[in-house]
Amino acid sequence: MNWTAFVGRRLGYSEISTIESIRISFGSAWAHPWPGLVVLGCLGLSVFTFWFYLQWQPHAKRPARLGLAVLRSLILSLVLLIVADPTLELALVSLPKPVLWFLLDGSDSMSIADELPEAERSSLATAVDLKGYRSQHPSQSGSDRLSRADYTRAWLHKADHNLIDRLSDSYRLRFFSFGETDGVRILSFDETTSQPSRFADWQTTGRTTPLGDAFEELARQHASDNVSAVVVVSDFGQNSGTSPLEAAKKLGVPIFTVGVGPVTAVDLSLDLIVPQTIKKSESSTIIVTVRQRELENTPVSVQVYAHQAGEATESEQHRIPIGERQLTLAEGMTQLEFPFTPDVTGRYVVTAEVDPVEGEVVTENNRATREVSIIDDFLRLMFVEYEPTWEWRFVKEIFHRDKLVGTRGFRTFLRSADPVVRETNELFLPNLTLPRSQFFENDVIFLGDLPASALSERFCEMTREFVSQFGGGLVVIAGPRFGPGQLAETALADMLPVVVDGDLRRRDDQEFHLNLTPIAGQFDFMRMGASSEDPLKGWNNLGKLPWYQPVRRVEARGTQVLAEHPLDKCSDARTPQPLIAIRQYGRGEVVYIAFNEMWRLRRLRGEEFYRQFWGQLIHRLGLGHALGSHKRFVVRTDKKQYRPEEQVRITVEAYDKEFRPLDEKEIPERRLSAEWIQPQEDADGNRTQIVGIPPLRPGIFETRLPVTSTGEYHVRVTDPVTGDITEINFDVANQSIERQSPIRNALLQKNLAAETGGKDYDLRDVDQFIEDYHPVRQKEISLEIIPLWTNWFTFGLVLALLLAEWLVRKLVNLA
């Protein structure tokens, strides 16, 4: 008999290999630190007992007295041991089965029924025993095209050579699902359950494929499982959440990937690039990108149109046609340009669509939409400068001709200008300390070369509020006369992407070419020219710069440097001097330019690159918020599109005529009044209801409302100051981003396995996993503490010794 295994089973351990150590200790406070006291106590009790029987029991014979002394010594010593709370400590060494996790994709893309070639469909059906699966699930018997989840279930339920059953002999299996709104879910799995009812709680209704988030949650919530490997069954269409590669490495175990779905398929998809804001009666360009797979030489027709937000797209009489283009597909990607000159204003949805072609499984990506605001308004720019410079002159000319600015939108303050000119010429501002109602109507502020004495504290504080609170844009342009060090002691210093120093002077000892950083191409205003291969090539036109203004260092909080000096360093002697940098500050952005020589972009190419840079820059800084005075009362929702049963968060930023936060005491009933218009009537036949929006903090009002049905919702909020109504719309739809791609992401699948030391499979060869992976069983030591006195053996021993002593005393007439 294997006594080690026997002891392990008696203690509840099924895989005990050895008993590493056995030790007896005492649990009572007096005996635990000094176990010798127990031994001395037992010896003392024994000596006392023998002395008592030999000295004070003379009536019995000597052998009887010695026997009674032995029995009584054992009884008293046993009682003393019980009082000392004896315990037996066993160190049990076990080699348990390794833990193996299965992570099943529960997203909606697993419900796609792929159009597979006959040979591939036949081999896949054989590999997963589709015939046996259909016999267990008669509802699938008449379907020719099964979903990815159906093939996966067939593989999980195979009757012969089932991989799950074979793995359960050597591993402790746990199953999880991801893609649901509640994160990673544990799936029920019982080895004794009949196969057709296994994994009944695995559903493929998830709205996204957050594979990276699933890995992170497993690492966070189930880290104590001592897992040896993870098997992921998915189409790997990662479309939300954190990077799966980085999250997978946090698990610290090999990941074996099982790909489901085809690696290629017939597919036609569209992407749409539309300016966020378009000015009425001005021409803009809409770019449609057509992507195709397996459709070379196929003729298609691309149609682009617009319709007012809230109107049904099926209603053709409300469509604004933009253009239609015939195209024969010849490359993986083709770009089409459609000119658009709107003659209306409002919020519109631009749609590009192409008819499905034969063999397409996913057709949701044959249509792309983007929302655009068509305005008859203009951007308001304020250029603050000490005296006319070349940069000031050319910027003024550029924006005077810009369709989104014009002569009405460009105003300037020149410190050196004649006071009479500043008072009489509408181009000039009389002073920097404008009334709040005028100052906050600006959208972008340009701050040039000024001495600190020209910047009042009120101007600096209003500029800080303008950027952080109202989302305005600030462009700081260093000049050769005073330099940005003049801002060091002002409230503007903390806003800059750089840390300025009043003691640093311009460096003009050597000409240089600026260096663009790797992230420069991510910003529209840094891309110049029409070349898609080298969008930064236009910067070569700038030529050599004669000087720049150095700074102490780059501001660490959220600054992105887009251009830097090729040689000079900051005060840390490591970081290159920044020449162009951008930083988020509150709700707005601040751009720093270390020279006012950008006009050199006009060399050889005229205004092309110069206009591109400044035009795209102000579009970024100025069009991210409401324009002009409209920013005084802004209504917004947290998203533009929702799903049924979600909650809509409605936020209103409300200010008075002087752009000070609107206090609830100034509003009747201490809350804003809004109309909530639903697409369908309620039980009482009403679509409109009046709701109140309570204050969250001064100037901010917020509420949450549930949406139940699909369609276009409208929210109309009344401005308590002017009585005007501001309306916003949003959509509620059941659209799924899971249906945007018809193929498996084979690259991500391979990388996940390769980067973690695993291997990639598909459903046809995944059975090879059992031969490929042989983990070493990890030794586990379990400390088992067994009380020695709280058991029937100890009780029986005490009882037997007492009974034996009583019988002996009876026999020798001592009872």
Side-chain angles (χ1 to χ4, degrees), residues 573-634:
R574 297 190 307 272
T575 307
Q577 280 283 346
L579 300 181
I580 303 176
I582 187 170
R583 177 195 178 193
Q584 187 81 28
Y585 185 79
R587 295 181 55 193
E589 287 183 305
V590 181
V591 175
Y592 168 76
I593 302 175
F595 50 87
N596 65 354
E597 303 279 335
M598 202 67 73
W599 54 269
R600 294 175 182 270
L601 284 170
R602 298 166 54 91
R603 184 174 64 96
L604 303 178
R605 301 293 292 268
E607 289 186 351
E608 179 185 355
F609 294 153
Y610 191 70
R611 177 186 290 273
Q612 252 185 320
F613 174 80
W614 288 115
Q616 292 175 152
L617 179 59
I618 67 159
H619 286 189
R620 178 187 177 95
L621 300 180
L623 293 178
H625 52 76
L627 298 181
S629 60
H630 296 292
K631 63 172 73 77
R632 190 190 60 76
F633 192 83
V634 180

Side-chain angles (χ1 to χ4, degrees), residues 264-286:
T264 186
V266 172
D267 185 52
L268 189 60
S269 64
L270 297 181
D271 284 335
L272 189 59
I273 300 177
V274 182
Q276 182 182 5
T277 303
I278 297 177
K279 196 166 189 290
K280 177 184 175 182
S281 302
E282 296 285 350
S283 178
S284 298
T285 300
I286 294 173

